[in-house]
Amino acid sequence: MLVDKLAWVSHGGAGTPLYSLDIHPNGSRLATSGSDHKVKIWSLAAALNVRTEASKSSKLLATLADHGGPVNVIRFSNSGQYLATGSDDKVIAILELRGGQGLTSFGNSEGPNIENWKVIQSLRGHSAGIPDLNWSPDDTLLASCSLDNMVLVWDTASGKLLHKLQQHTSFVKGVAWDPMNRYLASQSDDRSVIIWDRTTWAPITQITKPFARAFVTSTFSLRLHWSPEGTSLACVNSFQSPCHVCPLIQRGTWLAGKQSLVGHTQAIVVARFNPKLFYKNTEEVTTCIAVGSQDSKLTVWLLHKERPIFIATKFFDRSVNDLAWTPDGYTLVASSMDGTVAQFSFDESELGKAVGEDEFESIKKELHGAGTSTLHFAESAEQQHMEVDPSPNELPQPALNHALATRLAPVQGPSSGVQPAPVRPPTQVGSKKRVIPEPVKPGQPSSSMQPAPAARNPQSVHARPPKPPASFPGATGLPAGAKRKAAHLPAEAPAKRRVTPESIAGPSGQQAISQQGMAAAGEAASRAPSILFQQEPQLHAELGKEAVPLGDAAEAGSRVVEAVLRGSQWEVVCSSSGAHQWTDQVGAKVVAVGGSMRFAAVAFESATLQVYTCAGRRMFPAMKLPAPAAIVGSDGAWRLLAVCRDGSLHVWDLHTLTSLLQASLQPLLASTPSGTAVRQVQLSKEGAPQAILSNRTAWLYHSGLACWLCLADSAFASSPFTSLLPLNPSLQGDLGRVQQQASTSRRGLPAASLLGSTGGLRAGVGQARGHLEANMAAALALQSPQEYKRWLATYASHLAGEGDEGRLRELCNEMLGPGQSDQAGVPGWSATVCGLDRRKLLQDEVLKRQGDRHLSIRRVKAEFWDLLSALQEQ
């Protein structure tokens, strides 16, 4: 294996996020796009050949600046003649490669283009940004999805909009065409994947169960992908305790198979099957897939093996957001939000020998009863009847070729969605129980390349032509997701395993919660008024990172608490770095969990809340709430937050056993449109509640003023200071993060501000000034010093540039305080603000940044320089 970071692939310098990449069907070009509004075409030969990379020949073939916003997705057509791009400017551009040398496009400062790419279609139909798009296998259609909750289908020849698919109820972030050209799949933030029938454009099914738990909405995209022979659909952003997984949906049954790609510690956001099939042995073939996650890692899998063959853990600093394979199937290229691209080259000893095109076509024909160029399948009579006369209450479920039904019967995935794979009984190792198999865990060796142990073939099948891959429905050999018997497990299996905690009795000396008592309390609580919460019940929470001994190179593991229903019995389970810590059996339904490294809190349907110590002891008797809790959280220390379904909000200090705050969310929803929901409630670093609503507003509760303060609304897009905040989240403060969470763009630039709450500000100067003043005040309320300093400096420069002497003088007086100015300062003046010295801020961030264009501003500047000098002399 060879690994290389392509340092010459860049969009405007280090840290500029890359949003997408794709490889040309002939393997000659690599296309990238990013937040700089540009698409760049690179010579892939420079990445695959050391001599070419070292030569002086240009690696950049073209820079295309045809969009007015960040370019979120790029995809070459299957013929390679066209390139489709989707952007935040709501436009899809289709470009064609023409002969001759390209010219320098507007906005391109990198010289003339070597290749001549011209826009031939501009498709307008979406009302929000476009995170994903995909060509049909025959290139006649293009599907696009958007944050406007729609999937649009376009005729690529005419540019005409053919179909609007509107069944999703939230942002649609991924689309994928079936390689057999029969279905289109789309994945949305509404926790579902819809399979659309191309012949009727009706939904075949809507898959929801794999995405019911711990679904992450703060994702840039949800790039799902079909296997090359069309029998499996790899979906993303699914959670199977204790880790995030990539479920494989089986064609025809539309159920998640027993095998899921497990182990990532944050949401998986992109999956990309290898375009080739590979020989598992002389008789059978298998598929290969790569998945990328927000945990900055990617994994590569051969689906007949229970562990990934490769884990990349040290290559990226931020989310892996797009993947592409070369046509020969042996090289993978990945892009990241950190602005870098990495290349991973495999050989036959790692992936196996690729199946030839003729054999590949034979396998697809055996599976589907038709060649790749046809739209129609040989279907069963039952399926044809369902398509002609579907039941009004049930979506039709198409099947594969009936003649192959017996031999290719799909492996029936559990009807409840993604389920944990079967495991061998736990074996005693010291004082902890460990089980097989192992998910990808952050505590594994720190090497960035971790090939898994070679798997043994459990059985041999003698038949020609080669059988469909072992991961296909009904394939012989190792069934999809099946685990080997213990006798066939590799002897060198590592010590760390996935843990299934045993049910144990509750902590000694503590009385169990009365089930009848909680049920009675729950009935009373259910009569309380309720508000709409968009956040699903959180039954799994990461409490924090475990401390790592000094000098230990291992990554810190996580402490996790979760609620598990075993039969009719609910259990609260705590684990640390995959090892079971404690379990408590409870007698009522759990609705939310949360906490910190100092405590764990569990809320019940009976409107009660139980708090546990680190060791699993009940800290005190169950706390009675006015209604069942919808959200439970903490500030990472001793403060506990509980938000109830009636909108009441409570904050306690568990260290001193005192109530810090009682408030309500009702005022935030009183004047909002019907259907506005609470998306998220959390505590700031200072312990103040922050609420984010579905109408893209964010609020902070100020205990001194006893009211909610607006932190974000949807008007920031019209502000000239949209690009002021850093793209890198690590450079953002509390205000930038909460504005990004409230925004709909989720692109790193906070698309929210406070203008909507300030009333009738006039457009232009007044609106820009209002935005700066609101963000200054919000940073102050959040006690975010760096953000306050940045907004203060920008505000001072703005006032100076506009010649606004009155406001500038008032600002300088506030910074200067009581002294020799013509005013006595502000009553109750403090020498510091947000922990920063006011007079130093006046000197460095206000006076030094003022321009000299206006005479009145020069006078103010000279006056306050003199006052500062006099105070310093005193």
Side-chain angles (χ1 to χ4, degrees), residues 45 129 155 165 216 230 285 324 350 421 427 439 459 469 544 546 633 659 718 738 745 787 812 823:
D155 182 297
L165 311 181
V216 178
V285 295
E350 294 162 319
T427 58
Q459 52 183 303
E546 297 285 5
S659 173
S718 61
V738 76
S745 65
E787 288 179 306
C812 290
Q823 298 183 21

Side-chain angles (χ1 to χ4, degrees), residues 20-96:
S20 185
L21 61 75
D22 200 24
I23 292 176
H24 193 276
N26 67 9
S28 62
R29 303 173 181 87
L30 171 68
T32 58
S33 67
S35 62
D36 61 348
H37 304 192
K38 296 178 182 178
V39 173
K40 295 189 178 184
I41 312 294
W42 311 85
S43 171
L44 194 58
L48 302 178
N49 188 291
V50 176
R51 292 182 179 179
T52 305
E53 185 175 19
S55 68
K56 295 183 179 179
S57 59
S58 177
K59 305 175 183 66
L60 180 61
L61 302 179
T63 298
L64 313 175
D66 301 302
H67 284 287
V71 184
N72 304 325
V73 58
I74 47 174
R75 293 291 182 260
F76 284 108
S77 64
N78 296 285
S79 67
Q81 185 178 358
Y82 304 104
L83 176 68
T85 63
S87 169
D88 267 356
D89 64 7
K90 312 170 191 177
V91 177
I92 300 167
I94 298 181
L95 300 98
E96 181 182 22

